[in-house]
Amino acid sequence: MEQTTNELKGSDVLAKDRQEPEDLWQRYGAKRGVWTLKMLEALEQGVKGNKWFSLMDKVCRLDVLAMAAEKVVSNAGGCGVDNMTVHTFQKTSQDRLLAVNKQLKEGCYQPLVIKRKWIPKSFGSGERPLGIPAVVDRVVQTALKMVIEPIFEKEFAPRSYGFRPGRGCKHALREVDNLWKAERNFIVDIDIKGYFDSIPQDKLMEKVKERIADGRVLKLIEAYLKQKVMDGLEEWQPDAGTPQGGVISPLLANIYLNDLDWIMEGRGLPMVRYADDMVILCQSKEGAEEALRVIQKWMTEAGLTLHPEKTRIVDMTEKGAYLEFLGYQFKRTLNGKRNRFPRKKSLKKFKEKIKAH
């Protein structure tokens, strides 16, 4: 019997109520020193109006900014438009963090222009744009993410695996594998055309405002969405999307697609999603066609576009049929056994990385 979206969310909350406090830190990806046990308990029980106020004081705290800076330095990464490396930032980090702390408190902090670089796609052919923010902007975004992520992590659906604490590609692949082996042979392979660059910013901010009521935090998020982009000698301000490469972008992307995750769960149509890569595994062709209709309707209302050629229904019972997802190919072997194999392109990239070392 199918469960409604609210029933699914309700059962999820009941399961979390039985958890020990220590488990909650991990479940919500909350960082000690940023979140307190009292805040976590409020998150678990629900705050008044389901909205959080007074968050900016946590974002701009020097100890939180220092934690964020440490994380940014450990992740390394390239220079932004100011050509500052993480090592240069680290040498004078105390003074720089004091300066950004003051700017955030006074409301005069403004992120620098994003440098755009084109890199090969992780899965599939072609290139994708990568935005490289300045180091100081990555630090502030990291601090912002550490503060607001648990608020939304509580809301996220169970089959969303991309850029979430304690989750990754292997979990998404395992879920697809299990569903396929449970005789769900009709798979809807979804491809959103230019997802990160096409998210309607006004609709995205509406989703954020459902849980956050701190005007200064909302202004900060909007500032990142409105950051100018520099590609070579060209510079412009995007009117849609969230910059790929920004620390906060994957979280915002998950927030925007979360309603769709719960709609599919509520309809009994298991959709496995990793960021904007998603597949729906159905027991019949009719079920797959229904799932595709639901997806198409939602995408239109959300201001997004499905790729007309890459979005398709795969009948895995047909000879030679296969599904490609997150660098792997799912298909039957000659003896009919269901299996998954790394794509040839994925193997080639892996070997090239090994060779470089």
Side-chain angles (χ1 to χ4, degrees):
M1 186 175 179
E2 291 185 1
Q3 290 177 287
T4 64
T5 301
N6 288 335
E7 286 173 337
L8 282 160
K9 288 184 177 180
S11 63
D12 197 44
V13 170
L14 288 173
K16 287 183 284 185
D17 284 341
R18 293 191 292 271
Q19 292 185 333
E20 295 297 321
E22 186 64 31
D23 296 330
L24 297 179
W25 291 89
Q26 297 177 2
R27 182 181 181 90
Y28 300 136
K31 307 293 183 187
R32 294 183 182 277
V34 180
W35 277 71
T36 64
L37 182 57
K38 188 176 179 180
M39 289 173 65
L40 266 182
E41 289 172 346
L43 177 65
E44 183 71 3
Q45 296 164 10
V47 294
K48 187 177 179 180
N50 281 328
K51 290 190 177 184
W52 287 74
F53 297 80
S54 303
L55 295 172
M56 180 55 85
D57 61 318
K58 297 165 184 63
V59 176
C60 67
R61 262 176 29 206
L62 276 173
D63 59 328
V64 174
L65 289 171
M67 288 172 62
E70 186 178 342
K71 189 172 180 64
V72 169
V73 169
S74 68
N75 289 338
C79 305
V81 292
D82 59 355
N83 290 324
M84 180 180 293
T85 66
V86 291
H87 301 296
T88 301
F89 180 90
Q90 190 178 27
K91 289 176 183 177
T92 55
S93 63
Q94 189 172 354
D95 291 338
R96 295 184 187 280
L97 293 181
L98 282 168
V100 80
N101 165 265
K102 182 180 179 183
Q103 291 169 0
L104 288 168
K105 283 182 176 179
E106 295 176 352
C108 60
Y109 165 79
Q110 284 294 329
L112 297 173
V113 176
I114 292 176
K115 181 168 74 174
R116 172 165 283 190
K117 183 179 178 181
W118 291 86
I119 62 172
K121 288 185 177 180
S122 299
F123 310 110
S125 58
E127 294 183 318
R128 67 179 181 88
L130 177 68
I132 306 177
V135 176
V136 66
D137 292 333
R138 299 208 293 270
V139 170
V140 177
Q141 283 194 42
T142 301
L144 175 63
K145 181 174 180 283
M146 289 193 297
V147 171
I148 70 171
E149 184 174 45
I151 296 170
F152 295 99
E153 185 60 31
K154 182 189 176 185
E155 306 274 332
F156 288 155
R159 290 194 175 98
S160 165
Y161 294 97
F163 305 103
R164 294 182 58 190
R167 292 168 173 248
C169 285
K170 64 180 181 181
H171 301 102
L173 290 164
R174 188 178 300 132
E175 181 75 0
V176 171
D177 204 30
N178 290 338
L179 288 166
W180 179 38
K181 288 176 180 177
E183 298 298 328
R184 291 184 174 270
N185 292 311
F186 296 87
I187 303 177
V188 187
D189 188 4
I190 303 295
D191 188 284
I192 305 175
K193 198 172 181 180
Y195 175 59
F196 280 84
D197 287 333
S198 61
I199 302 174
Q201 294 177 352
D202 55 343
K203 292 184 177 181
L204 171 59
M205 288 305 302
E206 286 174 13
K207 298 292 181 189
V208 175
K209 289 175 183 177
E210 288 176 6
R211 294 292 174 264
I212 294 178
D214 187 322
R216 291 185 298 170
V217 167
L218 295 172
K219 182 181 176 183
L220 183 59
I221 295 172
E222 287 180 324
Y224 286 126
L225 293 176
K226 300 295 183 185
Q227 271 182 282
K228 289 185 177 181
V229 178
M230 179 176 286
D231 189 346
L233 297 176
E234 292 185 48
E235 183 178 316
W236 74 94
Q237 181 175 306
D239 54 9
T242 175
Q244 294 191 56
V247 177
I248 199 73
S249 293
L251 174 60
L252 296 176
N254 276 334
I255 290 170
Y256 198 65
L257 288 176
N258 187 50
D259 282 352
L260 177 62
D261 294 335
W262 283 110
I263 287 171
M264 303 310 286
E265 286 285 342
R267 287 177 171 265
L269 298 167
M271 181 173 79
V272 181
R273 183 172 68 79
Y274 188 95
D276 59 334
D277 289 313
M278 59 192 83
V279 291
I280 309 160
L281 293 96
C282 305
Q283 293 175 323
S284 66
K285 184 179 179 181
E286 292 74 21
E289 290 170 346
E290 179 200 351
L292 184 54
R293 284 193 294 270
V294 172
I295 291 286
Q296 288 170 331
K297 183 176 183 295
W298 189 90
M299 291 290 171
T300 300
E301 293 172 352
L304 300 172
T305 304
L306 292 178
H307 197 293
E309 296 172 2
K310 296 180 180 179
T311 299
R312 63 194 184 115
I313 294 176
V314 184
D315 181 355
M316 297 292 278
T317 64
E318 292 183 352
K319 186 178 180 180
Y322 64 89
L323 169 74
E324 290 187 345
F325 184 62
L326 300 182
Y328 278 77
Q329 190 176 87
F330 293 78
K331 63 180 180 180
R332 292 180 185 270
T333 55
L334 292 175
N335 61 5
K337 185 179 178 182
R338 301 164 191 260
N339 216 328
R340 73 171 188 258
F341 308 90
R343 294 174 58 220
K344 290 182 179 179
K345 186 173 180 180
S346 301
L347 278 174
K348 183 180 178 183
K349 286 179 68 175
F350 177 73
K351 289 176 181 178
E352 286 173 352
K353 286 182 179 179
I354 294 295
K355 187 176 181 180
H357 289 283

